């Protein structure tokens, strides 16, 4: 219960809430404190304002409160309405909890000095008053209802009463400023506990206060406990009880609000049903926060154990260092003191880091536990409307507090090991160079899964060292297998922590791992990451490898040529495994040229027709017939040509080692080439009379199924 006490104290007076009201920002404040921090905003059109300010009134734009600079988040200042104070205030005062309270801009009138308190204990609210939340610094101008327009937080008031009743300590005076004395009486009308000096000063037995009844503190506590709780009434219609809940405004309302007020067109639900619903939501949110609190307690135990381990390891390390240094000559003894100083600094640094984290986590856990206990007490309340007034804010606070225990909060910031070892092997003449050296290999790197990905036939991997590792790293070694479950091979060695590997097989599953190394050796491998390359190839024409006469457009998907001679252009992706299919559409076809389509090695000739050398396998075609060509050998003349709008398809199957061509979705001739193994690029050759567009990422044609070619060369 002690952790909850901060939840039950007013941010202005620092005492337990008395008659708390709920501000529009969902924060609470005592009713009396709200009156104390009111500021009367000037009104240029008001005669009263003109009389009060005299001739010193300027043409200042009072409509903009921000321009008035009444409140400053930098200094946490609040305006204070002080028209009923008995003496002028100092330029700046502080409330018991340290919040600065500024006096009013208009000095008090002489006739207001030495006045008795107003009947009922509080003065009327001046017009054009403004109040600023002491926690979030949001300002609000009060309407004609004044502070009566803010709903009372009866749930919080009930929790405070129960908490105070659970404390067996003597009742204290509520008006003492520094060290509250023990209360001697309680005024039933003012509902305030007084000590004798404060009673004589603030509650004299004369005037309107003479009729107030003063009772012993114990009797006053009992009367507080047994006094019946009033029914909740609407702030807009004070004679109406709250009976429904406005879903849009998230507030309890009365029937008159639904018939005449601003809630008449809003969705409303039964008060009891929403009460139960919000209680369930708060209970569910508390379950998650309770888990975080349990983890935090376990984490604190871990941190306290780390303190002991650090101390033990520090003592052991010092003893080892002293034993080594004592074995050396006098020159080594002088160096020993310097090394001990470094060890002590490392020792104290580790302790400081862990202790700071313990302190930080303890404070956060205390706040979390206090919020949990407060929420549990709120759930016990049987007042639906009062609960619904604060349930949304509490649910948000619970979720926000749970989020503060997020990733990394419960991770130690320091290890308990000392990663230093003394090397006592150097000769005496090298004693002045004696220093700590690292004799441990690096820890296994951690793959950052959120940054690892594959695109087409490329894989990008990213990694980092463990956050608590202090061992130096000279570089990393990245290894991949062959995409078919084979042995690992090194693909990168260097100091970078991110690497992209190109030229992998399509539709293949690769295993990857990384390890770090330094002068002491190579560390352990990271966890193995399995990555899948794209099943279907997406590629474009490669301008870097194309002949200079080639002209590319449409994001390198459309190609033509500015020469009458045939020129070669290849795709930017190579194939060596799987089944791949792409198409080329004929956008322009003039004067019956012979474009060629097929595949090629990376070093194919670019200034002759595709298939003229032994580095390309192609089909060239005119408007009537086609031929297959490799190493300038022409075979399998087949009727059927191309024209504008025609489509040429290329099917490369490494599982069977064959190359097939299609024209307008029909196979053109038999299997063109067999025994296809190695690395091939898509390629075409054309001249200025032809323009084509490439289409990739296509599925395999329906007519084609895996199998062996028949004796006649057609696909089975």
């Amino acid at each position: 219960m002690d952790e909850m006490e901060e939840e039950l104290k007013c941010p202005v007076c620092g005492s337990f809430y008395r008659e708390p009201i709920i501000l529009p920002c969902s924060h609470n404040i005592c009713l009396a404190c709200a009156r104390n921090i009111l500021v009367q905003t000037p009104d240029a059109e008001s005669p009263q304002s003109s009389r009060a300010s005299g001739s010193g009134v300027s043409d200042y734009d009072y409509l903009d409160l921000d321009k008035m600079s009444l409140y400053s988040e930098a200094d946490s200042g609040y305006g204070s309405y002080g028209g009923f104070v008995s003496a002028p205030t100092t330029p700046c005062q502080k409330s018991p909890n340290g919040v600065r309270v500024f006096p009013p801009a208009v000095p008090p009138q002489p006739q207001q000095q030495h006045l008795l308190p107003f009947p009922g204990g509080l003065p009327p609210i001046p017009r054009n008053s403004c109040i600023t939340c002491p926690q979030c610094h949001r300002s609000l101008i009060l309407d004609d209802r004044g502070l009566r327009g803010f709903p009372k937080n009866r749930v919080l008031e009930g929790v405070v009463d129960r908490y105070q009743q659970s404390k067996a300590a003597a009742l204290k005076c509520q008006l003492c400023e520094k060290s509250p004395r023990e209360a001697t009486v309680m005024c039933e009308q003012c509902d305030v506990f007084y000590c004798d000096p404060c009673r004589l000063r603030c509650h004299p037995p004369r005037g309107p206060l003479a009729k107030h009844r003063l009772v012993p503190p114990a009797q006053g506590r009992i009367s507080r406990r047994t006094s019946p709780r009033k029914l909740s009434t609407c702030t807009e219609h004070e004679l109406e009880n709250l009976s429904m809940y406005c879903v849009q405004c998230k507030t309890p309302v009365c029937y008159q609000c639904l018939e005449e007020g601003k809630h008449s067109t809003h969705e409303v639900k039964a008060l009891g049903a929403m009460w139960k619903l919000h209680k369930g939501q708060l209970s569910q949110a508390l379950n998650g926060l309770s888990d975080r609190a349990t983890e935090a307690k376990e984490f604190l135990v871990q941190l306290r154990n780390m303190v002991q381990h650090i101390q033990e390891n520090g003592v052991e390390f010092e003893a080892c260092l002293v034993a080594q240094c004592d074995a050396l000559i006098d020159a080594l003894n002088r160096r020993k003191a310097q090394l001990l100083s470094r060890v002590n600094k490392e020792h104290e640094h580790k302790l400081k880091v862990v202790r700071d984290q313990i302190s930080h986590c303890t404070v956060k856990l205390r706040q979390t536990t206090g919020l949990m206990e407060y929420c549990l007490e709120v759930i016990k309340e049987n007042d639906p409307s009062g609960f619904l007034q604060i349930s949304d804010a509490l649910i948000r606070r619970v979720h926000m507090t749970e989020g503060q225990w997020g990733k990394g909060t419960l991770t130690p910031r320091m290890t308990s090991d000392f990663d230093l070892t003394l090397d006592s092997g150097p000769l005496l003449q090298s004693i002045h160079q004696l220093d700590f050296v690292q004799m441990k290999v690096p820890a296994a790197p951690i793959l950052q899964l959120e940054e690892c990905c594959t695109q087409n036939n490329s894989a990008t991997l990213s990694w980092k060292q463990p956050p608590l590792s202090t061992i130096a790293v000279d570089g990393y070694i990245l290894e991949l297998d062959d995409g078919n479950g084979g042995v690992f091979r090194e693909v990168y060695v260097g100091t970078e922590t991110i690497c992209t590997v190109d030229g992998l097989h399509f539709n293949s599953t690769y295993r990857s791992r990384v390890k770090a190394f330094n002068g002491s050796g190579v560390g352990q491998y990271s966890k193995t990451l399995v990555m899948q390359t794209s099943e279907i190839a997406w590629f474009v024409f490669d301008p870097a490898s194309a002949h200079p006469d080639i002209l590319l457009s449409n994001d390198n998907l459309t190609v033509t040529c500015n020469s009458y001679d045939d020129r070669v252009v290849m795709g930017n992706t190579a194939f060596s495994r799987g089944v791949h299919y792409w198409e080329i559409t004929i956008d322009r076809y003039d004067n019956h040229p012979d474009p060629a389509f097929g595949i090629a090695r990376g070093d194919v000739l670019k200034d002759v027709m595709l298939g003229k050398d032994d580095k390309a396998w192609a089909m060239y075609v005119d408007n009537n017939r086609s031929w297959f060509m490799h190493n300038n050998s022409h075979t399998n003349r087949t009727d059927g040509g191309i024209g504008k709008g025609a489509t040429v398809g290329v099917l490369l199957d490494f599982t069977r080692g064959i190359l097939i061509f299609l024209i307008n979705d029909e196979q053109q001739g038999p299997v063109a080439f067999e025994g296809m193994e190695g690395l091939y690029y898509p390629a075409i050759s054309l001249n200025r009379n032809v323009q084509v567009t490439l289409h990739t990422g296509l599925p395999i044609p329906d007519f084609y199924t895996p199998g062996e070619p028949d004796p006649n060369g057609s696909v089975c």
Side-chain angles (χ1 to χ4, degrees):
M1 295 287 286
D2 292 338
E3 288 83 354
M4 185 178 64
E5 187 169 310
E6 292 301 322
E7 295 282 341
L8 308 181
K9 290 185 177 180
C10 175
V12 175
C13 64
S15 301
F16 287 108
Y17 284 107
R18 294 183 61 252
E19 298 184 83
I21 59 175
I22 306 174
L23 300 180
C25 57
S26 300
H27 292 129
N28 301 287
I29 189 174
C30 298
L31 180 60
C33 294
R35 289 179 174 269
N36 289 337
I37 65 173
L38 283 176
V39 171
Q40 185 175 5
T41 59
D43 187 353
E45 298 179 0
S46 173
Q48 293 84 349
S49 176
S50 300
R51 288 194 299 269
S53 58
S55 60
V57 176
S58 66
D59 295 331
Y60 202 87
D61 184 6
Y62 293 116
L63 297 179
D64 190 348
L65 288 180
D66 291 334
K67 293 180 181 179
M68 292 169 62
S69 301
L70 291 177
Y71 315 108
S72 172
E73 292 185 4
D75 60 17
S76 301
Y78 298 91
S80 172
Y81 175 74
F84 56 92
V85 296
S86 59
T89 59
T90 58
C92 178
Q93 298 177 342
K94 286 189 177 182
S95 63
N97 68 339
V99 176
R100 295 204 295 168
V101 181
F102 290 95
V106 180
Q109 300 300 323
Q111 63 270 22
Q112 290 178 325
Q113 298 182 5
H114 309 294
L115 288 179
L116 296 178
F118 288 85
L122 291 172
I125 301 298
R127 295 184 58 188
N128 303 321
S129 294
C130 176
I131 188 171
T132 299
C133 175
Q135 290 182 275
C136 64
H137 310 293
R138 296 182 183 178
S139 299
L140 178 72
I141 298 178
L142 275 62
D143 56 18
D144 294 338
R145 296 173 299 167
L147 295 177
R148 290 184 295 105
F150 298 127
K152 294 182 179 180
N153 193 340
R154 289 174 289 103
V155 173
L156 175 58
E157 191 173 10
V159 174
V160 171
D161 287 343
R162 288 201 303 271
Y163 180 81
Q164 289 180 321
Q165 293 166 13
S166 66
K167 297 290 185 179
L171 293 173
K172 300 294 183 179
C173 176
Q174 294 177 297
L175 298 183
C176 291
E177 294 185 356
K178 295 184 178 180
S179 300
R181 304 181 184 90
E182 185 173 348
T184 57
V185 295
M186 173 193 171
C187 177
E188 289 187 339
Q189 284 70 32
C190 299
D191 194 22
V192 175
F193 291 95
Y194 298 94
C195 63
D196 287 336
C198 291
R199 178 180 59 82
L200 295 175
R201 184 177 67 254
C202 303
H203 201 286
R206 60 180 180 271
L209 301 180
K211 297 181 181 180
H212 288 196
R213 183 187 177 200
L214 302 178
V215 297
Q219 182 179 345
R221 172 187 283 181
I222 296 175
S223 63
R224 272 189 176 184
R225 187 182 312 173
T226 58
S227 60
R229 191 177 297 272
K230 297 180 181 180
L231 294 175
S232 302
T233 57
C234 179
T235 57
E236 299 282 346
H237 313 96
E238 297 182 356
L239 300 180
E240 296 290 337
N241 293 333
L242 298 173
S243 56
M244 301 295 288
Y245 181 79
C246 178
V247 177
Q248 181 174 340
C249 299
K250 297 183 177 180
T251 183
V253 295
C254 67
Y255 279 108
Q256 194 169 347
C257 289
L258 302 180
E259 295 178 358
E260 304 173 1
K262 63 180 180 180
H263 306 280
S264 58
T265 59
H266 295 176
E267 178 187 0
V268 295
K269 292 187 178 181
L271 197 65
M274 293 303 295
W275 175 42
K276 293 180 180 179
L277 175 62
H278 281 228
K279 270 197 172 185
Q281 291 177 350
L282 181 56
S283 299
Q284 186 176 3
L286 280 176
N287 290 336
L289 186 59
S290 177
D291 294 339
R292 293 293 180 269
T294 301
E295 294 176 5
K297 292 178 182 178
E298 296 174 352
F299 180 60
L300 284 174
V301 173
Q302 179 184 355
L303 291 179
R304 293 188 178 100
N305 291 336
M306 286 186 62
V307 171
Q308 181 179 356
H309 293 159
I310 291 175
Q311 292 174 337
E312 293 175 354
N313 292 341
V315 172
E316 180 181 354
F317 193 83
E318 284 188 29
C320 180
L321 179 61
V322 170
Q324 290 178 334
C325 291
D326 287 343
L328 300 177
I329 59 176
D330 295 339
L332 184 59
N333 287 327
R334 292 190 297 269
R335 183 64 174 169
K336 178 182 64 176
Q338 299 175 4
L339 298 178
L340 280 173
S341 175
R342 291 185 55 185
V343 173
N344 289 330
K345 288 181 180 179
E346 181 72 7
H347 178 199
E348 294 300 324
H349 173 68
K350 289 178 178 289
L351 289 177
K352 182 179 182 303
V353 171
V354 176
R355 284 169 175 164
D356 289 346
Q357 192 171 10
I358 289 176
S359 175
H360 175 75
C361 191
T362 300
V363 172
K364 185 177 293 185
L365 178 60
R366 181 182 180 89
Q367 296 172 350
T368 300
T369 305
L371 178 60
M372 290 171 54
E373 293 178 357
Y374 171 57
C375 292
L376 291 174
E377 290 297 324
V378 169
I379 291 176
K380 296 177 183 178
E381 284 295 313
N382 295 322
D383 183 356
S385 60
F387 178 84
L388 291 174
Q389 287 175 334
I390 64 173
S391 58
D392 283 313
L394 284 179
I395 292 171
R396 288 194 301 269
R397 285 189 62 192
V398 168
H399 284 304
M400 181 177 66
T401 304
E402 181 182 0
Q404 293 175 354
W405 292 103
K407 181 179 180 181
T409 307
L410 302 181
T411 302
R413 300 174 184 169
M414 180 63 65
T415 63
S416 58
D417 296 330
F418 285 76
D419 300 322
L420 301 171
T421 302
L422 183 65
D423 182 8
S424 58
L427 299 175
L428 293 179
Q429 60 267 30
S430 301
I431 288 179
H432 66 282
Q433 297 177 348
L434 186 64
D435 200 353
F436 291 109
V437 295
Q438 291 186 337
M439 299 298 293
K440 295 183 179 180
V441 298
I446 299 175
L447 289 170
Q448 302 191 84
L449 301 182
E450 65 277 5
E451 299 183 12
C452 297
C453 62
T454 59
Q455 183 177 10
N456 228 4
N457 65 334
S458 299
T460 298
L461 296 103
S462 177
W463 59 89
K464 64 180 181 179
Q465 279 298 106
L468 298 180
S469 177
T470 58
I471 304 175
V473 175
D474 293 339
Y476 300 93
I477 301 174
L478 175 63
E479 297 181 354
L480 268 70
D481 68 357
D482 60 357
N484 196 28
V487 298
F488 284 90
R489 67 187 190 281
E490 293 183 2
V491 296
Y492 171 77
V493 178
T495 59
E496 299 295 333
T497 57
I498 186 170
C499 178
T500 298
V501 183
D502 298 320
L504 302 177
H505 298 301
F506 284 91
N507 194 24
S508 299
T509 301
Y510 285 89
R511 295 177 299 153
S512 59
R513 62 188 185 184
V514 64
K515 58 184 177 180
F517 63 88
N518 59 13
S520 299
V522 180
Q524 296 292 322
Y525 284 108
S526 67
K527 293 183 178 180
T528 300
L529 176 63
V530 179
M531 309 182 74
Q532 175 74 35
T533 55
S534 176
E535 182 178 356
I536 298 177
W538 298 84
F539 61 92
V540 296
F541 290 119
D542 183 14
S545 62
H547 190 278
D549 293 336
I550 290 293
L551 303 177
L552 294 169
S553 60
N554 188 25
D555 294 329
N556 296 334
L557 291 173
T558 300
V559 62
T560 186
C561 181
N562 61 7
S563 172
Y564 286 105
D565 297 323
D566 289 309
R567 300 292 185 248
V568 173
V569 59
M570 298 190 301
N572 65 347
T573 298
F575 305 121
S576 60
R577 181 185 296 177
V579 182
H580 307 280
Y581 178 71
W582 62 94
E583 292 181 348
I584 301 97
T585 56
I586 310 301
D587 302 330
R588 179 168 52 82
Y589 186 80
D590 303 327
N591 302 323
H592 311 299
D594 300 322
F597 311 89
I599 59 176
R601 304 286 190 186
D603 55 350
V604 65
L605 295 177
K606 307 291 177 55
D607 55 355
V608 296
M609 179 184 288
L610 192 68
K612 285 285 187 178
D613 61 359
D614 62 348
K615 303 298 176 55
W617 294 257
M619 175 188 73
Y620 70 93
V621 58
D622 59 17
N623 61 323
N624 291 319
R625 63 192 69 82
S626 66
W627 293 264
F628 301 147
M629 183 166 63
H630 169 64
N631 199 16
N632 205 25
S633 174
H634 307 252
T635 60
N636 296 100
R637 171 179 169 175
T638 304
D639 292 334
I642 60 173
K644 181 179 179 180
T647 300
V648 177
V650 182
L651 194 155
L652 177 60
D653 185 356
F654 284 100
T655 62
R656 299 170 56 189
I658 62 175
L659 181 65
I660 298 173
F661 295 98
L662 295 85
I663 295 181
N664 296 327
D665 299 326
E666 297 290 337
Q667 183 173 339
Q668 183 73 359
V671 172
F673 301 99
E674 298 179 350
M676 309 304 298
E677 294 181 354
L679 190 67
Y680 301 95
Y681 290 87
I684 67 170
S685 66
L686 73 173
N687 61 20
R688 66 183 304 165
N689 293 315
V690 183
Q691 178 175 304
V692 300
T693 297
L694 176 66
H695 304 276
T696 63
L698 304 176
I700 305 302
D702 295 336
F703 78 90
Y704 184 79
T705 56
E708 296 294 334
D710 64 13
N712 296 324
S714 61
V715 177
C716 298

